Every structure is written in C-alpha cells, then in structure tokens.
C-alpha cells in the first residue's frame, strides 16, 4: 500500500496517510533521550496491508538517526521489533 509516514511532534505521533486520508497512527512520548512507542493503530479498511509496519519502521529510522533509545510499549511494536532483530 502506498502511504506517506510523517512525524507530527506537536501531536506526539506519526501519521500514515494515503489517498484515503489518515490510515494509521503511532503515538509516542519522548523523555530524556528516549522515545516510548505507546500505541499503533490502523484504520479497519487498511489493516493487513503493512501500514503499522511502515509507521514503526519510520519511527525506528528516526530514532536511529537522532541517537535516541526506543522503548516499545505497544504490543504490536514489541512484536515488530522481535521480528526485525536488526532494530533490536
């Protein structure tokens, strides 16, 4: 699925958008050089199309570039990280 993932720091979330509008979000909290990935959610019509994975990948890439530690609070994010050991 063709989506664009954008970090919206003033809202503490990443948004995945497509021609249908916002199709997924990943909410987070930052504190002392750590980003807590709290909750990922995909719109019902877009589940199973890799949207949540794209959100988590973008968050992990940004964290790596910024040199911050990631704490995967959300069960989906924990599963994603366990399936992608290169980001562990």
């Amino acid at each position: 699925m063709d989506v664009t993932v954008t970090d919206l720091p003033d809202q503490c979330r990443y948004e995945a958008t497509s021609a249908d509008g916002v199709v997924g979000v990943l909410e987070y909290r930052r504190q002392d050089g750590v980003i807590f990935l709290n909750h990922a959610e995909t719109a019902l019509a877009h589940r199973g199309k890799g949207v949540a994975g794209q959100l988590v990948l973008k968050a992990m890439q940004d964290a790596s570039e910024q040199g911050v530690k990631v704490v995967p609070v959300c069960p989906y994010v924990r599963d994603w990280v366990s399936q992608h050991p290169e980001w562990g």
Side-chain angles (χ1 to χ4, degrees):
M1 172 171 214
D2 189 27
V3 299
T4 301
V5 177
T6 306
D7 182 13
L8 302 172
D10 58 323
Q11 296 178 36
C12 297
R13 69 192 232 163
Y14 285 87
E15 283 187 351
T17 55
S18 73
D20 296 330
V22 176
V23 296
V25 297
L26 174 59
E27 298 171 348
Y28 64 82
R29 177 175 59 90
R30 289 182 180 268
Q31 180 179 352
D32 301 326
V34 178
I35 184 169
F36 298 85
L37 301 179
N38 296 323
H39 178 70
E41 187 170 340
T42 302
L44 283 175
H46 298 280
R47 290 188 181 165
K49 299 179 181 177
V51 173
Q54 290 181 56
L55 285 160
V56 176
L57 177 60
K58 175 68 171 149
M60 298 299 284
Q61 290 170 334
D62 287 355
S64 177
E65 290 172 7
Q66 297 164 10
V68 297
K69 180 180 176 181
V70 175
V71 175
V73 178
C74 171
Y76 176 85
V77 177
R78 283 195 305 266
D79 288 345
W80 188 95
V81 170
S82 72
Q83 294 173 16
H84 297 85
E86 67 274 20
W87 292 103

